[in-house]
Amino acid sequence: MQTEHLENHTARITVEVDPERVEKAMRQAGRKISQKARIPGFRPGKAPYEMVERAFGREYILNEALDTLGQEIYRETLDESQIEPYAPGSLEDIQTEGGLKLTFVIPKRPTIELGNYRDEIRVPYDVEEVTDETVNKAMEDTRQNNAVVEDVDRPAQLGDQITFDHFEVVVLADEKAEADAEEEQPAEENAESEAEEASESDDEGEDENGERLLIHQHNFERVLRTDDDDLFPGFSQHFVDAKVGDELEFTLTLPDDHDVDDLKGRTLRVEAVVEKIQSRTVADWSDTLAETLSDGKLKTMLEYRVDLRQQLETQAKYNADQKVADEAMKKLVELAEFHYPEEAVHDYASDVLSELDNILQQQGLRLADYMRIMNKTEDDLRVEYRDRAIERLERSLALAEFVKHEGLLITDTDVDTEIEQMVTMLGGEQADQFRQFLTTSQSRFNIANRLASNRAFARLTAIAKGENPPIETPAEEPEVVSEVAPHTEPDTEA
């Protein structure tokens, strides 16, 4: 057996098969062929091997034999080489001259080496102050969100809520940026850059015309307003005096200081069909409103304000922890060294596209519709989202390895305890059915992954703050949790 480790984290293994074993496998394959095929002069399964070989040829019988023999040799090869596969190996080559030689190419299980993260990962911990202005805005947002809405038979006006039967926003090509880039290029490079434009785009999701679908939804609701909470600056003003059934199309050029970086200075095309216009009646602040908004738990405006401030402070601390965890995770990935096959990237790209499909369905689209609108193929999307897939893959690998290093692996007892807590909290009268669902192997695996992730991010946050929590030693054999599961069955198609 000859093993060659390739640069793309795969192994090429060539195995020389014993001639007697080949002959035995071919005779077994010959018997199966004779049972299925009609050979003149013989009943099914009774034709001698020599007659089967004369009728079908040695090459055909060998290919039939490899269906079973190839699988057996592949498994033996994995055991002998001690290679842990990530996904099915493939039978790359078959040589018959001078004896049978099989060459397998096997994507290897990803490996990762974490850096000195305990000493090098440090992130400032800043909790945003909850001011009186913050509380005032939160209270007003809550009041506005609980307005009473009623259908009206009149043109729309500011303060109304509009429901759109069809709503679409497209980011148009950034002609100014393209012109500036073209001016900066030497004349002799223009032809080459024009050729590259057909296959590359600076903005994720842009089609060949430089346009990008930003929003596509049905039954889309917005309140017409002219403050900072308008969908886009100047957006609502276009719908003042609109009537039910009106179809509007217009463009908006966003300011250069817009909050979203990749929309600064960009021009949007908006298409909308007005389905419903509703007036909004906002209640005045009172103890009665405070009691209503708190479902009767609070009796006065003061109690409501104090409670809301506490919620905002809790949220501010949570946001600060999340920010530290996110920055720490980025640093953990930056410090690590990864090795993984292309198959792993492909799998994570599939996950990204699946999530994109789910998001689009919430907007009344399917992934196939999106590809048609944007004039893209699935391969185009895989290239477009490759960086995101790699980012997710490396985060997953780093997190799984971090869990092992820190002794945070989840035990069966941990999962059982979590299931009982979930049943107690959510089960109610259907507790038994809920428990039965949660104890399936897939549910237990999902719960274990969630628990491991929560513990990992809590530990990583503590390390990033400069704390030094001790590495844990599990009291019992843990259930290994990993989002990158190895596969063992080969694809033996020649």
Side-chain angles (χ1 to χ4, degrees), residues 123-391:
V123 180
Y125 182 64
D126 297 315
V127 180
E128 185 176 353
E129 180 186 3
V130 176
T131 64
D132 288 342
E133 290 75 14
T134 306
V135 178
N136 291 340
K137 185 178 188 308
M139 290 182 67
E140 180 60 21
D141 288 343
T142 303
R143 189 171 73 105
Q144 292 291 337
N145 291 337
N146 284 271
V148 177
V149 296
E150 298 177 294
D151 292 351
V152 293
D153 184 18
R154 59 165 172 74
Q157 59 190 34
L158 291 176
D160 286 347
Q161 178 172 294
I162 292 191
T163 302
F164 301 101
D165 177 57
H166 165 80
F167 187 79
E168 183 173 288
V169 180
V170 174
V171 184
L172 300 182
D174 191 352
E175 298 178 359
K176 180 180 182 300
E178 292 176 359
D180 292 343
E182 192 170 307
E183 288 179 5
E184 293 175 1
Q185 279 187 316
E188 59 270 19
E189 294 182 5
N190 282 348
E192 182 179 351
S193 67
E194 289 175 2
E196 292 176 350
E197 284 178 3
S199 60
E200 296 185 4
S201 173
D202 292 335
D203 288 340
E204 185 178 273
E206 289 190 354
D207 66 8
E208 60 184 6
N209 297 318
E211 296 187 351
R212 173 160 56 96
L213 183 65
L214 190 63
I215 302 174
H216 181 100
Q217 271 191 264
H218 299 282
N219 297 319
F220 183 71
E221 294 180 351
R222 289 299 301 181
V223 175
L224 300 186
R225 54 201 308 166
T226 56
D227 57 12
D228 292 340
D229 290 327
D230 199 2
L231 182 61
F232 303 108
F235 169 82
S236 292
Q237 199 65 47
H238 283 271
F239 295 96
V240 172
D241 294 331
K243 302 179 182 65
V244 172
D246 282 358
E247 299 179 14
L248 290 84
E249 180 175 345
F250 56 88
T251 59
L252 281 174
T253 300
L254 302 181
D256 293 334
D257 61 351
H258 189 66
D259 292 341
V260 182
D261 287 342
D262 65 352
L263 293 181
K264 290 181 177 179
R266 299 296 294 268
T267 299
L268 311 178
R269 182 179 69 243
V270 180
E271 298 178 8
V273 178
V274 179
E275 179 182 20
K276 186 189 300 182
I277 300 173
Q278 295 173 301
S279 66
R280 301 172 68 256
T281 303
V282 182
D284 294 332
W285 280 114
S286 65
D287 290 343
T288 301
L289 178 60
E291 187 173 1
T292 300
L293 295 178
S294 64
D295 294 327
K297 297 177 182 178
L298 305 171
K299 302 301 181 183
T300 68
M301 280 289 303
L302 179 58
E303 290 177 351
Y304 182 82
R305 184 179 182 87
V306 170
D307 181 73
L308 183 58
R309 180 183 288 274
Q310 292 175 345
Q311 293 181 42
L312 292 173
E313 289 173 346
T314 300
Q315 184 65 42
K317 184 180 181 302
Y318 173 81
N319 292 342
D321 287 339
Q322 284 295 106
K323 185 176 181 181
V324 171
D326 290 343
E327 289 298 318
M329 190 69 221
K330 291 178 183 178
K331 292 180 181 293
L332 185 69
V333 172
E334 291 171 0
L335 289 171
E337 181 178 340
F338 301 93
H339 300 281
Y340 45 79
E342 184 61 28
E343 286 81 355
V345 179
H346 184 275
D347 286 347
Y348 273 77
S350 296
D351 290 343
V352 172
L353 294 187
S354 178
E355 288 187 10
L356 176 61
D357 188 25
N358 290 335
I359 293 172
L360 290 170
Q361 288 185 33
Q362 295 173 10
Q363 300 181 9
L365 280 176
R366 297 175 304 165
L367 187 60
D369 300 325
Y370 175 80
M371 289 191 291
R372 185 178 64 255
I373 293 171
M374 302 305 295
N375 193 27
K376 292 179 182 292
T377 65
E378 182 177 325
D379 288 341
D380 293 333
L381 292 182
R382 287 186 175 275
V383 172
E384 186 175 303
Y385 289 101
R386 178 179 173 81
D387 288 346
R388 185 177 300 181
I390 290 175
E391 178 185 352

Side-chain angles (χ1 to χ4, degrees), residues 17-27 58 69 100:
V17 187
D18 181 70
E20 293 183 2
R21 186 174 184 180
V22 176
E23 189 66 24
K24 181 180 178 180
M26 291 184 65
R27 288 185 175 275
R58 185 174 179 81
L69 182 61
L100 179 63

Side-chain angles (χ1 to χ4, degrees), residues 8 24 40 45 60 90-91 143 193 203 227 242 258 317 417 438 440 483:
N8 59 351
K24 181 180 178 180
Y60 178 83
S90 60
L91 184 54
R143 189 171 73 105
S193 67
D203 288 340
D227 57 12
H258 189 66
K317 184 180 181 302
T417 301
L438 292 175
T440 63
E483 294 183 16

Side-chain angles (χ1 to χ4, degrees), residues 415-425 435:
V415 177
D416 291 338
T417 301
E418 180 69 10
I419 288 175
E420 289 307 313
Q421 290 177 351
M422 295 172 69
V423 169
T424 301
M425 184 181 302
R435 182 182 290 105

